[in-house]
Amino acid sequence: MTPALRTARRDPRDRHPLLEQLGQLWRNKTAVLGLGIITVFVCAAVSAPWISPHNPVETSLYDQLKPPVWHDKGTWTHVLGTDELGRDLLSRIIYGARVSLLVAVISVGLAFTLGTLLGCISGYYKGLSDGIIMRIMDMILAFPYLLLAIVVVAYLGPSLQNAMMAIGITYVPRFARIVRGSVLEECGKDYVMAARAVGANDMRILFLAILPNCLGPLIVQTTLSMASAVLDAAALSFLGLGAQPPTPEWGAMIARSRALILRASWVMTFPGIAILMAVLGFNLLGDGLRDALDPRLRD
Amino acid sequence: MLAYIARRFLILIPTLLGVSVIVFLLLQLTPGDPAELLLGERATKASLEQMREHLGLNKPIHVQYAMFLKRLMKGDLGETIWTRQKVWIEVKQRFPATIELSVAALLISCFFGVILGIVSATKQYSLFDYVSMLGALAGVSMPIFWLALVFMLIFSLNLGWLPMSGRLSVGVELETITRFYVIDALITGNGEALKDVLWHLIMPAATLSTIPMAIVARMTRSAMLEVLRQDYIKTAKAKGLSNMRVIFKHGLRNALIPVVTTIGLQFGVMLGGAILTETIFAWPGVGKWMYDAVMQRDYMVIQGGVLFIATLFVLINLCVDVLYAVINPRISVR
């Protein structure tokens, strides 16, 4: 066998370039820190029924507003204290991770699916469909942050499902624009021409040839969108437009604690820290991923 | 240049039409119809029918949209459901409060954001750089409604330094001319009121400025780093110019181009964030008004408020684009 032929064959030790780049993530300390934080929250969310010390919605008249353990009057039964109905705060925060992560995954999942589909159609078929889709995206982008989500929920009625849908809809343009840009760029390359020449149909070219090459920016956007989805969902719940009582949701917990701000500041403090840490985790990971996968996007 | 601005204005028309379509369609999602909302639950069938006729609800949807658009063109946003006031008049009364808050927040975030960014960039990989950039990342991740409560707890309730809510203390007299209280206090030369107004402004503005400040700091840092690597900076240094002169005269001027764009976009974003801040601090602006309307299900107010904020947002984005073309000679406007 001539050397030229040997190099043409795929070396099994060759890794996919995406994996190669992801491997570099381990060297990025902030990304690893972010991944660590997210892992903690995901573990808490998955194992909530086993690790939370109390039932998150069970009220207890005798345990109202117990302070956290490091207070003089604190006890180990309620490590982070209790709220005005005697519910254990630690358990509510652990279960709250379930709600927040679920909302983030579903709303970003919705935006990812819709955005990717629309972006593909827009970038691949160009012409009229591109014009129409991108104008619709412009319309959505004409509303400032959170406003459209608030309004959609205001009309549909406050609930967690509606909040997820509202957040999902407002995030579609981010994904559609990225995918459209990447698809436009990739379409002109030789490998697409080659795929077309061997008779692959549009679906095959789009999803098996082009899309895998656009994954980098998409992964980055997904991670950063998870961060803002957690934040937006908490804001909507804080305004009373998302999770309804007695669902243990961080934003809703902060809203209820406003009346107790002087008497029991811990009821307000811990859910806020939980939101901050979860969002920070996704942002750290997103930044790290951006450095590893998509140097063009660095801000 | 003028042709460029004119063209940008023309592109505005389809976007604003789109906004009106979305707002119109949202109204169709309302449970029940506007006639029922306006007349209440105990309305008779005949009066409901009459109201529907009056509002044109019996007509096909595209005719209804045309009527809606015609009213909008005349600047008629309808009446609020509960107080029966003209929506446009209510908007006019409230928007100066929102603008005042947003501008104050913008000034805070620009000032501190740009300084943090410059120092971080000139001392890259120093302790200051790490701490401020981690702080900026925490700022981007901050739930501002929570931060607002923390500020209240510390500065109002525990230390008693700042007032907890509102724009003006009870008992402080201020003649309202422009409804921008800072300007009003300055025009009338009312020192006592000016101090009171500024005291009320600090906490809400600081809260609202958190996220933009963090974004501006990050943007300034990376733009500065990019610029400081360029050859002309080396040349300037080699010429023996002082460090300050190199950083501010040669570096910052070029780094500011992307920063200005970011700042402009953040101003628009803040209009949305104002809903949270205004609600918490009982700040009587458009955001608080809209929140109250959401709670009372006053769909006319929501519709008017959304149209107003979205239009303002689109106009600001246009200004940012034009400004970008003006300050960046490398962009061809033709």
Side-chain angles (χ1 to χ4, degrees):
Chain A
M1 201 187 290
T2 60
L5 266 178
R6 213 178 300 134
T7 47
R9 202 183 289 158
R10 194 169 176 172
D11 187 341
R13 281 166 305 178
D14 264 356
R15 286 197 300 171
H16 191 278
L18 191 71
L19 289 177
E20 197 72 47
Q21 286 167 320
L22 281 176
Q24 295 197 342
L25 203 63
W26 289 110
R27 273 179 250 145
N28 187 329
K29 270 178 251 160
T30 51
V32 174
L33 180 65
L35 199 60
I37 296 174
I38 297 167
T39 313
V40 171
F41 277 105
V42 170
C43 288
V46 171
S47 55
W50 300 284
I51 59 168
S52 62
H54 298 271
N55 183 334
V57 292
E58 196 177 37
T59 58
S60 160
L61 285 175
Y62 297 106
D63 295 320
Q64 285 173 8
L65 297 179
K66 285 266 184 330
V69 67
W70 52 87
H71 258 253
D72 295 342
K73 290 180 194 151
T75 56
W76 278 102
T77 347
H78 299 289
V79 179
L80 295 183
T82 58
D83 65 6
E84 79 282 9
L85 295 175
R87 295 176 293 198
D88 183 54
L89 275 180
L90 178 63
S91 312
R92 285 180 75 72
I93 286 174
I94 293 173
Y95 270 91
R98 265 192 173 189
V99 179
S100 285
L101 291 182
L102 195 71
V103 171
V105 167
I106 293 180
S107 52
V108 174
L110 178 74
F112 182 96
T113 317
L114 266 177
T116 308
L117 271 177
L118 291 174
C120 280
I121 296 171
S122 220
Y124 192 76
Y125 293 106
K126 304 185 186 85
L128 186 66
S129 53
D130 179 32
I132 294 173
I133 290 172
M134 282 301 126
R135 286 303 78 74
I136 295 175
M137 295 299 116
D138 284 347
M139 284 183 205
I140 297 179
L141 288 172
F143 295 89
Y145 143 89
L146 210 60
L147 181 72
L148 187 62
I150 289 177
V151 171
V152 169
V153 180
Y155 282 105
L156 291 177
S159 77
L160 208 54
Q161 280 101 320
N162 289 345
M164 285 190 245
M165 213 167 78
I167 295 171
I169 292 170
T170 50
Y171 287 5
V172 169
R174 311 177 175 189
F175 290 96
R177 286 189 153 192
I178 289 180
V179 173
R180 173 178 178 269
S182 306
V183 170
L184 273 179
E185 196 183 319
E186 297 293 322
C187 262
K189 292 192 177 161
D190 287 345
Y191 73 92
V192 177
M193 212 95 82
R196 203 169 283 150
V198 294
N201 64 16
D202 286 354
M203 284 297 134
R204 201 182 161 83
I205 295 175
L206 251 179
F207 289 102
L208 292 179
I210 297 179
L211 211 52
N213 285 305
C214 312
L215 270 184
L218 260 181
I219 293 173
V220 175
Q221 188 56 51
T222 307
T223 318
L224 294 175
S225 293
M226 293 287 284
S228 37
V230 171
L231 208 51
D232 289 355
L236 284 177
S237 295
F238 176 80
L239 291 174
L241 297 171
Q244 299 298 313
T247 315
E249 204 277 345
W250 297 333
M253 285 165 77
I254 296 175
R256 287 185 65 98
S257 74
R258 282 181 70 179
L260 309 161
I261 182 168
L262 256 189
R263 265 203 303 162
S265 55
W266 62 87
V267 184
M268 172 199 96
T269 312
F270 300 118
I273 294 174
I275 299 173
L276 179 61
M277 291 313 287
V279 178
L280 189 65
F282 281 114
N283 273 334
L284 283 168
L285 182 65
D287 271 11
L289 280 168
R290 176 161 51 191
D291 289 349
L293 297 178
D294 192 15
R296 281 172 307 170
L297 273 177
R298 258 178 239 183
D299 66 5
Chain B
M1 195 69 213
L2 272 179
Y4 172 73
I5 297 174
R7 208 171 50 238
R8 289 305 320 245
F9 253 103
L10 283 181
I11 302 176
L12 210 63
I13 296 170
T15 313
L16 286 177
L17 272 179
V19 169
S20 74
V21 169
I22 290 187
V23 171
F24 176 77
L25 287 179
L26 279 172
L27 200 64
Q28 310 299 315
L29 290 176
T30 325
D33 73 3
E36 281 171 41
L37 273 170
L38 282 166
L39 293 175
E41 281 171 10
R42 276 180 288 175
T44 60
K45 261 202 164 141
S47 61
L48 273 176
E49 221 21 70
Q50 205 181 355
M51 195 61 168
R52 284 196 187 112
E53 191 67 40
H54 174 68
L55 292 172
L57 293 176
N58 297 335
K59 302 207 166 68
I61 192 155
H62 61 274
V63 180
Q64 282 190 47
Y65 175 69
M67 287 166 61
F68 170 75
L69 206 59
K70 209 169 142 192
R71 282 203 309 273
L72 276 188
M73 291 296 174
K74 288 190 210 149
D76 179 10
L77 292 173
E79 283 179 1
T80 67
I81 292 175
W82 302 114
T83 54
R84 294 297 163 99
Q85 296 285 318
K86 288 266 179 224
V87 170
W88 176 235
I89 292 177
E90 300 254 314
V91 170
K92 269 203 289 197
Q93 281 174 354
R94 284 175 174 83
F95 90 89
T98 301
I99 302 288
E100 193 170 73
L101 177 62
S102 309
V103 170
L106 193 71
L107 291 178
I108 297 176
S109 53
C110 286
F111 184 74
F112 290 106
V114 169
I115 288 185
L116 276 178
I118 293 174
V119 179
S120 290
T122 48
K123 297 186 192 301
Q124 199 188 3
Y125 303 131
S126 67
L127 184 66
F128 181 90
D129 183 26
Y130 279 120
V131 172
S132 62
M133 281 308 115
L134 198 66
L137 203 56
V140 177
S141 316
M142 187 64 73
I144 56 167
F145 49 95
W146 176 71
L147 186 70
L149 293 178
V150 173
F151 279 166
M152 266 185 183
L153 182 66
I154 298 173
F155 297 108
S156 300
L157 296 169
N158 284 339
L159 297 172
W161 289 351
L162 296 167
M164 230 173 118
S165 58
R167 285 179 85 188
L168 204 60
S169 300
V170 184
V172 176
E173 296 278 328
L174 179 65
E175 195 188 340
T176 50
I177 304 163
T178 59
R179 287 183 186 278
F180 293 96
Y181 282 5
V182 176
I183 298 176
D184 284 343
L186 284 173
I187 294 175
T188 53
N190 190 339
E192 189 203 358
L194 181 65
K195 193 186 157 207
D196 193 62
V197 168
L198 289 177
W199 244 223
H200 277 87
L201 193 56
I202 293 176
M203 223 160 41
T207 306
L208 190 56
S209 73
T210 313
I211 292 177
M213 193 196 311
I215 292 174
V216 169
R218 281 157 60 104
M219 190 74 215
T220 310
R221 178 180 178 270
S222 60
M224 268 310 260
L225 284 176
E226 187 75 28
V227 168
L228 290 179
R229 273 200 292 268
Q230 305 289 326
D231 285 338
Y232 64 83
I233 294 289
K234 276 186 206 138
T235 314
K237 277 186 184 160
K239 278 198 302 187
L241 294 182
S242 73
N243 235 347
M244 277 293 159
R245 212 179 148 80
V246 173
I247 289 167
F248 284 96
K249 185 103 196 293
H250 296 252
L252 190 61
R253 247 179 111 165
N254 287 293
L256 271 186
I257 294 169
V259 175
V260 167
T261 319
T262 312
I263 290 170
L265 292 176
Q266 290 308 312
F267 186 62
V269 172
M270 265 194 277
L271 293 173
I275 294 188
L276 285 169
T277 319
E278 287 182 4
T279 309
I280 296 167
F281 289 104
W283 189 264
V286 178
K288 166 108 183 18
W289 180 58
M290 280 188 68
Y291 171 76
D292 292 341
V294 167
M295 290 296 120
Q296 296 168 344
R297 321 216 129 224
D298 193 329
Y299 295 101
M300 297 309 284
V301 171
I302 303 175
Q303 181 189 316
V306 173
L307 275 171
F308 175 75
I309 295 185
T311 309
L312 203 60
F313 184 59
V314 173
L315 282 175
I316 291 171
N317 285 349
L318 172 86
C319 293
V320 172
D321 278 355
V322 173
L323 192 68
Y324 189 69
V326 171
I327 61 172
N328 191 354
R330 276 167 292 191
I331 287 190
S332 161
V333 294
R334 237 160 274 130

